[in-house]
């Protein structure tokens, strides 16, 4: 068995979701190859070659691959597919965009968002917003899989010494073009890989009030998240959203502030190790999953919390 | 241009689902079903395109049991022109749905196909991408803004923010939550929708094999979390986090 892992990278560095995907590949067993596609990816390939457990790193460079557009990237992966039994991508927006396209071109089904490997053809994946876990077996010759990062540890970034081999990119189908992007800038840790997350919901009342959350987050070295209600109300950008339709996180500590705890939000964070809820409504569903609940007005509790954290 | 919209009948998003005691699936008897929320957004976008004079006709398609007609009627009441039900009582997985949709696209020749980004039951997030692949069309997934000209300019919600792509038409677009706010169907429109035509076909009519490629061995409930405790004040909370949970 040989497994191909599609590396995700941005701004000249490998994204951590790639490392979780490598661990999932290692659980399947077999040689693991990593594909780094893009423009000017030599440094990223060198970084990937150091990941423990990798047999080979493939690089594909072409202008069309620079922005990971689904059409040219899928064409490349399909061209490489005959050599592999499994093709794994992180279940990020890029992975979710490309993998099903690859699966359909190969006429195979896809397993989305797996959280555990049972055997080389059987996997566990959450359904119904994480309220049920399905164990699913694939009968296809090539298994196309996206991997939920929070389901697997990150592979070690050192200890490997894989060979790097260039492959020729497939012809660009010329169906799409990158126009531009607006990325949210943040000095804080990335949401999906943060050890601590402090999230705000509708109860925050306004975008300005998120400063109260940021003050606490900075003291904890935490990332800031939000519920859909807070995003829809325009308090914070949508890439802050934690939930079924946003990011799935599983930090050591998740602090939910002014979040009621709808099913769709819980789907994104209920695998966190420790959950803290701060809400003035003691009937809020969030208290049913919280390890520590504080029934209090967040406008009083957050400044107090920031102060308390100073007393170390 | 003609627009094709795919809609799915799913267990209502507010329902707390229950896993069957024999672990074969989730309980679907006596449970409220409704249109997948992302598909409502897809229908709304198609109707807005028609209102803006960019779309001429909206065809709404659903795969599933006879009851999926209700879902199609809902879309017709929102403003779609006619419906197609691909009737089957079997489980259909995204690849099979994509193949059935491809057969309908070949027949109907729309200039744009709009789907929701994922169904809230299987949470797959595959069908739109698979359809685009089978058709050899471009794809604009997780769309939060769609503009039609001689190309489709689609703003996509990606992990770090937003990304804009230009797609050659015809194209497949999948909707994200913030694309629009779906309208409620008014009573007169619900009545009018009853008169709009719904054609019924079977997967066999379309020459599509819908047999599942993935076998679900079992469905289980996730592990329950231990009951937590309420703390009296912020100082007690910080103390617990430091000394009991040891996470800060």
């Amino acid at each position: 068995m040989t497994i191909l892992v599609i590396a995700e990278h941005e701004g000249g560095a490998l994204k951590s979701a790639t490392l979780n995907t490598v661990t999932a590949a290692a659980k399947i067993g077999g040689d693991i190859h990593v594909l780094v596609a893009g423009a000017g990816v030599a440094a990223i390939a060198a970084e990937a070659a150091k990941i423990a457990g990798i047999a080979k790193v493939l690089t594909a460079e072409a202008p069309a691959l620079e922005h990971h557009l689904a059409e040219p990237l899928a064409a490349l992966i399909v061209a490489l597919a005959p050599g592999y039994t499994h093709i794994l991508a992180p279940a990020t927006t890029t992975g979710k965009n490309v993998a099903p396209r690859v699966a359909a071109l190969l006429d195979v089904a896809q397993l989305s968002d797996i959280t555990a490997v049972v055997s080389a053809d059987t996997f566990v994946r959450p359904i119904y917003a994480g309220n049920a876990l399905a164990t699913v077996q694939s009968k296809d010759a090539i298994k196309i899989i996206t991997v939920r990062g929070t389901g697997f540890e990150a592979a070690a970034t050192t200890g490997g010494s894989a060979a790097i081999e260039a492959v020729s990119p497939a012809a660009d189908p010329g169906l799409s073009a990158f126009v531009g992007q607006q990325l949210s800038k943040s000095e804080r840790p990335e949401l999906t890989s943060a050890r601590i997350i402090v999230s705000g919901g509708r109860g925050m009342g306004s975008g300005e009030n998120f400063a109260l959350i940021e003050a606490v987050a900075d003291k904890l070295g935490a990332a800031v998240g939000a519920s859909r209600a807070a995003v829809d109300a325009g308090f914070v950008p949508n890439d802050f959203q934690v939930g079924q339709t946003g990011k799935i996180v599983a930090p050591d500590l998740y602090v939910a502030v002014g979040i009621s705890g709808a099913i769709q939000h819980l789907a994104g964070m209920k695998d966190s190790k420790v959950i803290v809820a701060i809400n003035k409504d003691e009937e809020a569903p969030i208290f049913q999953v919280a390890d520590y609940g504080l029934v209090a007005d967040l406008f009083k509790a957050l400044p107090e919390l920031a102060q308390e954290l100073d007393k170390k | 241009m003609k627009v094709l919209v795919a809609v799915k009948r799913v267990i209502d998003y507010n329902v707390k689902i229950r896993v069957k005691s024999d672990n074969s699936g989730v309980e679907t008897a006596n449970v409220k079903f409704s249109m997948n929320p992302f598909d409502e957004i897809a229908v709304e976008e198609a109707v807005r395109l028609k209102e803006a004079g960019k779309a001429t006709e909206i065809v709404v398609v659903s795969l599933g049991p006879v009851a999926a007609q209700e879902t199609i009627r809902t879309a017709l009441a929102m403003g779609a022109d006619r419906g197609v039900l691909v009737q089957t009582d079997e489980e259909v997985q995204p690849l099979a749905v994509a193949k059935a949709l491809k057969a309908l696209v070949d027949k109907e020749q729309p200039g744009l196909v709009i789907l929701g980004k994922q169904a809230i039951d299987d949470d797959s997030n595959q069908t739109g991408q698979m359809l685009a692949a089978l058709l050899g069309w471009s794809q604009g997934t997780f769309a939060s803004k769609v503009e039609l000209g001689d190309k489709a300019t689609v703003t996509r919600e990606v992990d770090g923010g937003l990304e804009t792509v230009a797609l050659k038409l015809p194209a497949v677009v999948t909707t994200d939550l913030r694309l629009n706010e779906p309208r409620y169907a008014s009573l007169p429109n619900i009545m009018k929708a009853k008169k709009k035509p719904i054609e019924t076909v079977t997967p066999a009519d379309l020459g599509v094999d819908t047999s599942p490629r993935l076998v679900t061995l079992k469905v289980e409930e996730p592990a329950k979390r231990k009951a937590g405790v309420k703390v009296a004040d912020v100082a007690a909370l910080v103390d617990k986090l430091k000394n009991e949970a040891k996470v800060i």
Side-chain angles (χ1 to χ4, degrees):
Chain A
M1 280 195 301
T2 315
I3 303 167
L4 183 65
V5 170
I6 314 301
E8 180 147 348
H9 57 90
E10 195 175 78
L14 214 50
K15 287 181 88 171
S16 61
T18 309
L19 302 172
N20 307 98
T21 307
V22 167
T23 301
K27 293 204 163 154
I28 295 169
D31 279 351
I32 303 171
H33 296 181
V34 173
L35 171 67
V36 183
V41 296
I44 303 162
E47 198 186 332
K50 294 199 192 92
I51 302 174
I54 305 293
K56 201 197 281 184
V57 174
L58 307 176
T59 60
E61 303 222 28
L65 294 170
E66 189 179 352
H67 297 289
H68 318 291
L69 293 170
E71 296 85 354
L73 185 52
L76 166 68
I77 298 167
V78 168
L80 295 171
Y84 297 95
T85 53
H86 297 73
I87 299 176
L88 272 61
T92 53
T93 47
T94 305
K96 288 173 176 177
N97 190 30
V98 174
R101 192 170 177 103
V102 172
L105 292 172
L106 295 171
D107 193 27
V108 299
Q110 184 198 294
L111 294 122
S112 294
D113 251 319
I114 65 158
T115 53
V117 174
V118 178
S119 69
D121 67 357
T122 306
F123 307 89
V124 177
R125 55 177 304 261
I127 54 175
Y128 290 94
N131 287 298
L133 295 174
T135 304
V136 186
Q137 188 175 39
S138 163
K139 308 248 184 224
D140 286 317
I142 302 180
K143 281 126 187 105
I144 310 290
I145 296 167
T146 60
V147 176
R148 182 172 290 193
T150 58
F152 300 90
E153 301 283 320
T157 50
T158 53
S161 55
I164 299 175
E165 185 183 307
V167 294
S168 43
D172 176 14
L175 294 167
S176 57
F178 175 83
V179 177
Q181 61 187 11
Q182 282 172 271
L183 300 183
S184 306
K185 288 198 184 70
S186 175
E187 303 291 313
R188 297 193 181 81
E190 204 191 4
L191 203 47
T192 46
S193 55
R195 205 180 67 76
I196 302 178
I197 296 173
V198 187
S199 274
R202 196 197 309 270
M204 295 306 299
S206 76
E208 289 75 56
N209 291 339
F210 260 75
L212 296 172
I213 292 228
E214 287 161 10
V216 171
D218 289 343
K219 295 203 194 309
L220 292 167
V224 174
S227 70
R228 184 187 165 196
V231 172
D232 282 353
F235 299 171
V236 289
N238 55 43
D239 49 306
F240 280 51
Q241 187 184 325
V242 172
Q244 183 184 19
T245 58
K247 294 197 170 74
I248 314 282
V249 300
D252 289 348
L253 174 61
Y254 188 90
V255 184
V257 185
I259 292 177
S260 65
I263 298 173
Q264 293 78 12
H265 185 74
L266 300 183
M269 48 61 84
K270 68 187 163 110
D271 291 328
S272 305
K273 285 204 184 76
V274 174
I275 298 173
V276 168
I278 301 176
N279 205 302
K280 64 181 174 192
D281 174 13
E282 60 180 317
E283 301 295 319
I286 190 78
F287 286 119
Q288 290 164 21
V289 299
D291 299 280
Y292 301 109
L294 175 63
V295 180
D297 183 355
L298 65 93
F299 295 105
K300 199 167 147 278
L302 282 175
E304 271 180 36
L305 184 54
Q307 230 172 32
E308 195 70 28
L309 290 169
D310 273 339
K311 299 188 207 161
K312 277 197 178 163
Chain B
M1 118 186 0
K2 192 192 278 188
V3 178
L4 192 104
V5 183
V7 297
K8 185 176 185 181
R9 175 180 179 263
V10 297
I11 294 181
D12 190 87
Y13 73 99
N14 279 314
V15 171
K16 177 101 178 77
I17 61 117
R18 294 223 315 267
V19 171
K20 284 187 186 167
S21 51
D22 66 355
N23 294 113
S24 63
V26 306
E27 198 58 69
T28 53
N30 301 317
V31 173
K32 186 187 175 197
F33 279 79
S34 45
M35 190 191 297
N36 179 43
F38 291 100
D39 303 348
E40 290 184 4
I41 296 169
V43 174
E44 174 67 32
E45 194 65 17
V47 174
R48 288 187 190 188
L49 286 171
K50 193 175 172 193
E51 287 168 348
K54 308 245 175 176
T56 49
E57 190 190 21
I58 303 167
V59 182
V60 51
V61 182
S62 192
L63 267 89
V66 178
Q69 276 200 1
E70 288 308 309
T71 311
I72 296 176
R73 289 277 171 222
T74 306
L76 296 176
M78 287 173 72
D81 295 294
R82 61 187 169 89
V84 181
L85 171 66
V86 183
Q87 196 189 323
T88 169
D89 290 324
E90 306 298 315
E91 177 200 356
V92 274
Q93 294 176 347
L95 185 60
V97 177
K99 285 182 178 178
L101 291 175
K102 179 190 185 290
L104 286 168
V105 167
D106 287 343
K107 192 170 142 223
E108 300 276 353
Q109 299 283 322
L112 186 69
V113 182
I114 312 180
L115 304 89
K117 82 163 174 183
Q118 78 191 60
I120 58 164
D121 51 2
D122 64 16
D123 283 334
S124 289
N125 194 333
Q126 299 174 7
T127 307
Q129 295 89 316
M130 287 183 156
L131 175 61
L134 296 175
L135 291 165
W137 290 8
S138 56
Q139 65 187 54
T141 51
F142 325 142
S144 61
K145 193 175 174 196
V146 178
E147 283 172 288
L148 286 185
D150 38 332
K151 288 189 174 215
T153 307
V154 176
T155 302
R156 308 177 51 232
E157 297 199 6
V158 295
D159 284 329
L162 298 171
E163 175 187 280
T164 306
V165 291
L167 306 176
K168 200 169 147 187
L169 289 167
V172 174
V173 168
T174 74
T175 63
D176 215 319
L177 283 170
R178 273 160 288 275
L179 180 59
N180 59 48
E181 188 133 339
R183 69 193 64 192
Y184 288 101
S186 65
L187 188 59
N189 286 344
I190 292 170
M191 300 312 287
K192 271 186 230 159
K194 292 188 198 252
K195 295 207 179 69
K196 292 183 181 175
I198 298 181
E199 181 192 351
T200 301
V201 297
T202 65
D205 295 338
L206 299 173
V208 176
D209 172 17
T210 55
S211 52
R213 295 295 200 63
L214 302 174
V215 185
T216 301
L217 302 178
K218 62 180 172 189
V219 174
E220 297 165 296
E221 273 191 46
K224 288 226 166 30
R225 291 187 75 94
K226 266 197 333 250
V229 294
K230 292 237 169 84
V231 295
D233 54 29
V234 168
L237 175 64
V238 172
D239 176 63
K240 293 268 191 199
L241 291 177
K242 274 188 182 153
N243 303 316
E244 195 176 281
K246 299 190 197 310
V247 284
I248 58 171

